[in-house]
């Protein structure tokens, strides 16, 4: 499995070539989430910048989530996972790395990803694994393409907030009504970290939790609790030395506005540095996640 530094280096080289090639970078200022802003992820260069800013921290968070799960639930031969809003398959990468760390790398992973966008730089299947991707509205795909709940793990990688109210209701109804194929299943949700967004995400995760309870399942999980780190300023590589970020990329992202063709013509606005010059997330401070475990109710 590719190391995170190598993965980011590949993206950085492509992005650096674009940024230094005399292009306007104004559209990249859309990569923020203030006031409910939703970036245009169809833009490959915005995808590159997104991954350079966030993939390092998100991959580590997902790896921690899988470590948390696999310490309590073991899978000897196969794991089936459905990622709702899979993006670049970073959660698949994290699962494989965690299995390697636990000397369980031979466990086969059957991974299905649903997303409205076919992301570039997706993590591809390792030997013996099966990785499928279905493009479209994830709620519609979940409704139409899966006639039962047959996965061991249902993953929401920073995606639970991205559905409309109608689509999220569709998802909840699917979890409440589709036929169970497993006696045990787990829902893993990566949450946003600021207080307002966190509360909104937890409201949704609680609705999802309650929907699953309607489907002849029971759980001792607490639907409004989540895990985070006590020291938010701690660097990720303090916890895992395999997580290294390319130094050149950090410096480049901190001065990104200097590459913009508009800047050289004196046409930049006051918000260029605010929205362009941002360091990648290298600490654990924004990690927030939930894991809900369910078992089929036994007949009385």
């Amino acid at each position: 499995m590719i190391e995170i530094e190598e993965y980011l280096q590949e993206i950085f080289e492509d992005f650096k070539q674009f940024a230094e090639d005399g292009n306007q970078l104004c559209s990249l200022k859309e990569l923020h989430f203030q006031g409910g802003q939703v970036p245009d992820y169809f833009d490959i260069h915005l995808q590159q910048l997104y991954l350079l800013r966030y993939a390092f921290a998100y991959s580590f968070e997902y790896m921690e989530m899988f470590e948390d799960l696999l310490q309590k639930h073991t899978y000897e031969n196969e794991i089936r996972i459905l990622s709702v809003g899979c993006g670049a398959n970073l959660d698949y990468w994290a699962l494989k790395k965690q299995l390697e760390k636990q000397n369980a790398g031979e466990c086969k992973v059957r991974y299905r990803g649903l997303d409205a966008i076919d992301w570039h730089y997706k993590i591809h299947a390792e030997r013996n694994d099966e990785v499928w991707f279905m493009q479209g509205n994830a709620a519609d795909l979940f409704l139409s393409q899966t006639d039962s709940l047959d996965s061991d793990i249902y993953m929401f990688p920073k995606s639970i907030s991205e559905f409309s109210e109608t689509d999220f209701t569709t998802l909840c109804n699917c979890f409440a009504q589709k036929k169970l194929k497993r006696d045990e299943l787990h829902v893993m949700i990566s949450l946003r970290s600021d207080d307002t967004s966190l509360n909104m995400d937890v409201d949704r995760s609680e609705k999802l939790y309650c929907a699953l309870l309607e489907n002849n399942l029971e759980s001792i999980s607490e639907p409004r609790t989540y895990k985070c780190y006590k020291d938010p300023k701690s660097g990720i590589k303090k916890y895992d030395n395999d997580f290294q970020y390319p130094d050149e990329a950090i410096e480049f992202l901190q001065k990104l506005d200097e590459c913009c063709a508009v800047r050289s013509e004196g046409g930049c606005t006051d918000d260029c540095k605010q929205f362009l010059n941002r360091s990648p997330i290298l600490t654990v401070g924004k990690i927030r996640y939930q894991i809900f475990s369910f078992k089929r109710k036994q007949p009385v």
Side-chain angles (χ1 to χ4, degrees):
M1 178 62 71
I2 190 172
E3 295 297 332
I4 191 66
E5 184 175 17
E6 182 183 353
Y7 174 72
L8 292 170
Q9 185 67 39
E10 176 188 344
I11 298 171
F12 172 62
E13 289 172 1
D14 291 347
F15 181 71
K16 184 171 183 280
Q17 181 177 350
F18 160 74
E20 292 183 338
D21 201 25
N23 292 294
Q24 295 184 8
L25 306 183
C26 305
S27 64
L28 299 180
K29 292 190 294 183
E30 294 181 10
L31 186 55
H32 69 86
F33 309 96
Q34 296 181 8
Q37 162 79 4
V38 179
D40 178 15
Y41 293 124
F42 285 97
D43 182 339
I44 184 175
H45 304 300
L46 197 142
Q47 287 184 25
Q48 291 166 345
L49 183 56
Y50 177 92
L51 291 169
L52 288 170
R53 283 184 184 171
Y54 301 112
F56 186 81
Y58 290 176
S59 298
F60 176 76
E61 178 177 5
Y62 304 156
M63 229 175 74
E64 292 290 280
M65 293 170 74
F66 285 117
E67 180 181 25
D68 195 338
L69 178 68
L70 295 175
Q71 283 179 345
K72 302 169 186 174
H73 306 274
T74 58
Y75 298 89
E76 294 183 1
N77 301 314
E78 177 182 290
I79 300 177
R80 299 174 66 98
I81 176 171
L82 178 65
S83 180
V84 186
C86 60
N89 298 354
L90 297 177
D91 48 356
Y92 167 68
W93 178 90
L95 174 56
K96 291 297 294 182
K97 293 298 288 187
Q98 191 55 245
L99 288 170
E100 288 178 8
K101 286 179 176 291
Q102 299 189 13
N103 296 315
E106 295 304 312
C107 179
K108 182 172 185 173
V109 176
R110 296 180 184 267
Y111 175 96
R112 286 181 293 169
L114 311 178
D115 206 296
I117 298 166
D118 187 3
W119 279 65
H120 294 262
Y121 307 100
K122 286 203 295 288
I123 303 296
H124 299 295
E126 288 285 289
R127 179 177 57 88
N128 296 330
D129 289 345
E130 295 178 5
V131 174
W132 299 281
F133 169 70
M134 289 180 282
Q135 184 176 5
N137 180 295
D140 290 342
L141 289 171
F142 200 101
L143 177 65
S144 64
Q145 299 296 321
T146 57
D147 59 2
S148 61
L149 298 179
D150 62 353
S151 293
D152 301 297
I153 300 168
Y154 293 88
M155 181 79 174
F156 288 82
K158 296 296 182 188
S159 61
I160 199 166
S161 64
E162 296 179 352
F163 303 100
S164 68
E165 288 298 329
T166 299
D167 286 342
F168 188 69
T169 298
T170 297
L171 281 171
C172 288
N173 289 339
C174 288
F175 278 106
Q177 298 169 8
K178 284 186 178 289
K179 182 179 180 181
L180 294 172
K181 288 288 188 71
R182 293 284 189 272
D183 291 329
E184 182 178 289
L185 63 84
H186 311 278
V187 177
M188 303 173 65
I189 304 170
S190 177
L191 307 163
R192 295 174 292 173
S193 60
D194 66 278
D195 289 342
T196 300
S197 298
L198 178 62
N199 287 330
M200 293 170 62
D201 289 356
V202 170
D203 285 344
R204 283 199 161 184
S205 68
E206 185 175 24
K207 290 178 182 177
L208 193 61
Y209 176 90
C210 292
L212 280 154
L213 293 182
E214 295 177 23
N215 199 350
N216 197 39
L217 291 166
E218 58 187 2
S219 176
I220 60 171
S221 303
E222 294 292 336
R224 297 199 66 85
T225 63
Y226 59 86
K227 293 196 175 183
C228 61
Y229 278 78
K230 292 182 179 179
D231 183 2
K233 296 182 180 180
S234 294
I236 286 171
K237 65 182 181 181
K238 170 185 174 182
Y239 297 93
D240 191 330
N241 198 51
D242 289 338
F243 271 75
Q244 302 291 330
Y245 198 102
D247 290 334
E248 181 188 1
I250 297 175
E251 297 174 7
F252 189 85
L253 294 177
Q254 290 171 341
K255 301 177 181 179
L256 182 56
D257 72 305
E258 296 179 4
C259 295
C260 185
V262 176
R263 181 182 187 274
S264 63
E265 299 168 0
C268 276
T269 57
D270 293 338
D271 63 357
C272 289
K273 288 187 176 181
Q274 176 187 358
F275 290 118
L276 283 180
N277 298 348
R278 294 189 174 183
S279 297
I281 300 176
L282 304 175
T283 67
V284 299
K286 294 187 178 299
I287 291 178
R288 308 281 189 280
Y289 69 84
Q290 298 173 304
I291 300 176
F292 302 147
S293 296
F294 297 88
K295 289 185 178 181
R296 191 194 302 266
K297 288 182 180 178
Q298 297 301 317
V300 178

